[in-house]
Amino acid sequence: MSSDNAVPNVLQADHSGLVLVLISMAAGLAFALLAWLLSRALARVPPDDRTYKDPPPLGYRLLWQPINWTAHFIGVRASPRRQAALLVRLGQAGVDFAISPLQFTASRVVGAALVALLCWWMLASFDQPAPGAAGMPASRYLAVLSSGALAGWSYPAIWLRDRIHSRRRELLKTLPFYLDIITLCVEAGLNMQGALTQAVAKGPKGVLRDEFQRLLRDIRAGKSRAASMRSLAARLNESSVTAFTTAVIQAESMGMNLGPILRAQADQRRTERFLRAEKLAMEAPVKLLFPLLAFIFPCTFVVLFFPIAMKFIHSGL
């Protein structure tokens, strides 16, 4: 009897080992097929020609290949109207020659995937239940992954908005100084293009210097000065720059002297800068009111009334 029972057990063990081998081979073949299909799909992505483009920001350089691949695959589903609006915002941020609207959208997708994976890895690292105990529920994993994906999706948009606001503040701060340089050069006998060249050469580094360099580059490429200045105004989308470019274009078309017009523009921009600073100074007390009421006044009252309260307590009242 024992010998008869041993033979089926040996056959059953052989069949179990064969099933495990077949399952392993099937999983390996499926993984190899998936890798082959992925490599074929990535091989069809054309290389990005960056000969005449600016270098992308640091975060984009670190993840450039995944962003470029994702941009290629989402390009057929992108809305042209939304991409045009996004291109305007990229121009305001000064990165429209560095990244395209599709690449910016792809960076949001890649960021969402990476942050979600990072959250999953951190949650799985902390989720080490004791023997016999249940781990974290799947709903918690789903909530954390969704929050991480939302944060990764939102971060590029927040970065773009902050960059636009920072460039706008710097532009409004340095515009009167550049207008003074251009005015002095024009009054000294230079034409508008020569005055812009001197402003770029002598002015401080910043947003306006880069934009004036781009303006001169467009003019040297064969674009008319009026069209180049209109492109500058549309790219920056700032009323002060629009007023400056409109005044210069109208003065040149009517044959007027640019010196007095530029001097008036510089004085007006300087007055506006002073008014903005005065407005911010008047808004400061209102913005400090909540921190005073929420944090500083309670601490002050505690310091003042604690000795009085302790004296009443020790006196038996």
Side-chain angles (χ1 to χ4, degrees):
M1 290 293 296
S2 60
S3 61
D4 294 338
N5 291 332
V7 174
N9 291 335
V10 172
L11 293 176
Q12 184 177 3
D14 293 339
H15 284 301
S16 300
L18 181 61
V19 168
L20 289 176
V21 171
L22 291 176
I23 291 174
S24 302
M25 292 178 62
L29 289 175
F31 180 77
L33 180 62
L34 181 63
W36 179 74
L37 292 175
L38 183 61
S39 63
R40 287 287 302 273
L42 295 180
R44 291 196 296 267
V45 177
D48 186 28
D49 186 13
R50 305 197 60 84
T51 306
Y52 301 103
K53 294 182 180 181
D54 297 331
L58 178 61
Y60 284 84
R61 289 200 298 268
L62 295 176
L63 301 172
W64 186 248
Q65 287 301 330
I67 289 174
N68 198 26
W69 294 336
T70 309
H72 174 74
F73 292 114
I74 68 175
V76 294
R77 300 176 179 85
S79 170
R81 184 176 179 181
R82 180 172 177 79
Q83 298 304 311
L86 187 55
L87 182 61
V88 174
R89 290 183 58 81
L90 291 175
Q92 294 176 5
V95 292
D96 53 334
F97 272 8
I99 55 177
S100 65
L102 283 176
Q103 289 167 348
F104 178 78
T105 306
S107 70
R108 302 187 72 179
V109 176
V110 173
L114 286 181
V115 177
L117 288 176
L118 180 62
C119 291
W120 174 81
W121 174 76
M122 294 180 63
L123 199 61
S125 300
F126 287 108
D127 185 18
Q128 299 293 335
M136 290 186 183
S139 59
R140 183 171 299 179
Y141 272 92
L142 182 61
V144 172
L145 290 180
S146 301
S147 301
L150 181 61
W153 172 264
S154 304
Y155 178 75
I158 297 173
W159 167 80
L160 183 65
R161 184 195 62 190
D162 292 344
R163 186 179 175 91
I164 292 174
H165 291 170
S166 176
R167 282 171 58 87
R168 182 177 181 271
R169 288 193 300 267
E170 183 182 349
L171 185 148
L172 294 176
K173 182 179 179 181
T174 57
L175 181 58
F177 179 75
Y178 271 94
L179 289 180
D180 286 336
I181 296 178
I182 295 172
T183 304
L184 290 174
C185 293
V186 169
E187 291 178 346
L190 291 176
N191 60 4
M192 191 62 191
Q193 185 171 349
L196 289 172
T197 304
Q198 290 299 317
V200 169
K202 306 298 182 182
K205 294 181 179 179
V207 178
L208 271 178
R209 183 179 179 181
D210 296 338
E211 292 297 334
F212 283 153
Q213 282 181 339
R214 184 168 174 178
L215 172 64
L216 293 173
R217 183 171 58 188
D218 291 342
I219 294 174
R220 295 190 189 101
K223 200 172 184 180
S224 66
R225 188 184 304 168
S228 301
M229 298 193 77
R230 290 192 186 96
S231 299
L232 172 68
R235 189 165 57 246
L236 295 178
N237 194 21
E238 181 58 44
S239 59
S240 301
V241 180
T242 304
F244 160 68
T245 55
T246 303
V248 171
I249 292 172
Q250 289 181 351
E252 288 186 339
S253 62
M254 299 176 64
M256 298 173 59
N257 187 11
L258 285 176
I261 296 175
L262 292 174
R263 179 66 64 185
Q265 287 287 324
D267 293 339
Q268 181 66 25
R269 301 290 86 79
R270 192 177 295 104
T271 303
E272 291 176 355
R273 185 176 65 178
F274 177 78
L275 292 177
R276 280 193 303 269
E278 194 175 42
K279 179 183 175 182
L280 292 175
M282 295 177 66
E283 290 176 353
V286 180
K287 293 180 179 179
L288 287 174
L289 186 60
F290 176 74
L292 283 173
L293 294 176
F295 303 107
I296 298 178
F297 282 170
C299 298
T300 305
F301 291 150
V302 168
V303 172
L304 291 177
F305 289 109
F306 179 75
I308 301 174
M310 293 301 297
K311 188 176 181 179
F312 278 114
I313 291 173
H314 285 301
S315 63
L317 297 179

